[in-house]
């Protein structure tokens, strides 16, 4: 692994289903982030983690949850997907909360 | 509220120079970032300004005026591969990163 990986690359999901988007980094960065990117809008922060064991809510956290059991992994879970959660999801990490962020390749999620 | 304003789209000619502006209104300021994002790909870091003035990095330069809430990204000697979206992001007083919607730059031969 080099940098940040996300899985799956894309997914079509029925409304009401549960889904976990995976994110793994091998840079030993302390901070990790989940964003969604929708056409015409800027990146919007869903949840973040400044260090393993801690998480925080971003701008649009409703309907999503995260965990940070270790430094490398930061999964994002949609408990019961809705069509408005159709988006491209990016995971990012930074050495600390004050450095530039490095982004994973993204997951394109469609909820029908 | 907090907002970042950038033009939605710009067009420029290969070999020319283009300036992409970003104005911001945030609760506090702790730095401004520029990222490049090619279609279907992830954003990648270009530059960071925290003090007023110009930061030069090869063909790309970024300028900041904190008193005016203004930044620009200057791209010189444009190449076709520079066709991408350019995202401006400001870290506010709470160290939250606020993102603009991005400027789509189209390069014509």
């Amino acid at each position: 692994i080099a940098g940040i990986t996300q899985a799956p690359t894309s997914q079509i999901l029925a409304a009401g289903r549960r889904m976990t988007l995976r994110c793994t980094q091998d840079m030993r960065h302390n901070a990790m982030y989940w964003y969604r990117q929708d056409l015409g809008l800027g990146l919007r922060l869903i949840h973040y983690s400044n260090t393993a064991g801690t998480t925080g809510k971003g701008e649009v956290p409703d309907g999503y949850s995260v965990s940070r059991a270790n430094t490398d992994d930061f999964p994002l879970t949609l408990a019961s997907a809705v069509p408005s959660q159709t988006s491209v999801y990016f995971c990012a990490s930074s050495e600390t909360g004050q450095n530039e962020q490095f982004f994973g390749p993204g997951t394109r999620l469609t909820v029908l | 509220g907090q907002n970042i304003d950038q033009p939605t789209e710009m067009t420029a000619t290969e070999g020319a120079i283009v300036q992409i502006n970003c104005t911001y209104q945030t609760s506090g300021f702790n730095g401004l970032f520029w990222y490049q994002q090619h279609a279907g790909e992830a954003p990648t870091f270009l530059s960071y300004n925290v003090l007023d003035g110009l930061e030069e990095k090869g063909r790309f330069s970024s300028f900041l005026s904190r008193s005016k809430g203004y930044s620009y990204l200057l791209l010189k000697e444009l190449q076709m591969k520079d066709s991408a979206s350019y995202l401006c992001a400001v870290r506010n007083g709470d160290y939250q990163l606020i993102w603009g919607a991005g400027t789509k730059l189209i390069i014509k031969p």
Side-chain angles (χ1 to χ4, degrees), chain A residues 35 37 40-43 90 97-101 103-105 108, chain B residues 33 35 37 40-43 45 48 87 91 95 97 99-101:
Chain A
Y35 292 96
Q37 188 174 41
L41 299 176
L43 287 162
F90 286 104
Q98 300 183 32
N99 301 99
E100 70 268 25
Q101 296 180 11
F103 285 79
R108 184 173 295 275
Chain B
F33 296 83
Y35 282 77
Q37 186 177 24
E41 298 183 8
F45 170 75
Y48 172 67
L87 314 180
R91 183 179 287 130
Y95 288 90
L97 203 55
W99 294 83

Side-chain angles (χ1 to χ4, degrees), chain A:
Chain A
I1 299 176
I4 304 182
T5 59
Q6 292 185 236
T9 302
S10 65
Q11 182 76 44
I12 298 174
L13 190 65
R17 296 298 294 268
R18 180 184 180 90
M19 176 74 192
T20 296
L21 307 185
R22 299 185 298 279
C23 174
T24 299
Q25 54 103 356
D26 66 354
M27 298 177 283
R28 307 305 294 172
H29 283 172
N30 287 307
M32 296 187 75
Y33 314 86
W34 274 105
Y35 292 96
R36 59 179 291 172
Q37 188 174 41
D38 302 292
L39 198 63
L41 299 176
L43 287 162
R44 291 185 291 169
L45 183 65
I46 304 170
H47 285 287
Y48 66 93
S49 169
N50 286 329
T51 189
T54 69
T55 63
K57 293 182 180 180
E59 179 186 356
V60 289
D62 294 343
Y64 306 94
S65 63
V66 292
S67 61
R68 187 90 185 276
N70 56 59
T71 298
D72 299 345
D73 300 302
F74 192 44
L76 176 74
T77 297
L78 289 67
S80 179
V82 295
S84 62
Q85 292 178 312
T86 294
S87 189
V88 179
Y89 290 85
F90 286 104
C91 179
S93 72
S94 61
E95 191 172 338
T96 71
Q98 300 183 32
N99 301 99
E100 70 268 25
Q101 296 180 11
F102 296 84
F103 285 79
T107 294
R108 184 173 295 275
L109 182 68
T110 302
V111 182
L112 301 176

Side-chain angles (χ1 to χ4, degrees), chain B residues 23-65:
Chain B
T23 57
Y24 62 90
Q25 292 173 317
T26 57
S27 54
F29 177 85
N30 281 295
L32 184 145
F33 296 83
W34 283 97
Y35 282 77
Q36 181 189 60
Q37 186 177 24
H38 286 101
E41 298 183 8
T44 55
F45 170 75
L46 284 178
S47 68
Y48 172 67
N49 295 71
V50 66
L51 300 176
D52 291 349
L54 189 68
E55 293 281 341
E56 296 186 81
K57 196 184 286 186
R59 294 189 298 116
F60 292 8
S61 303
S62 57
F63 171 83
L64 174 67
S65 168

Side-chain angles (χ1 to χ4, degrees), chain B residues 75-92:
Chain B
L75 291 75
K76 304 176 185 176
E77 302 168 17
L78 285 169
Q79 302 175 10
M80 297 304 293
K81 67 178 182 180
D82 297 329
S83 291
S85 288
Y86 292 86
L87 314 180
C88 175
V90 173
R91 183 179 287 130
N92 68 9

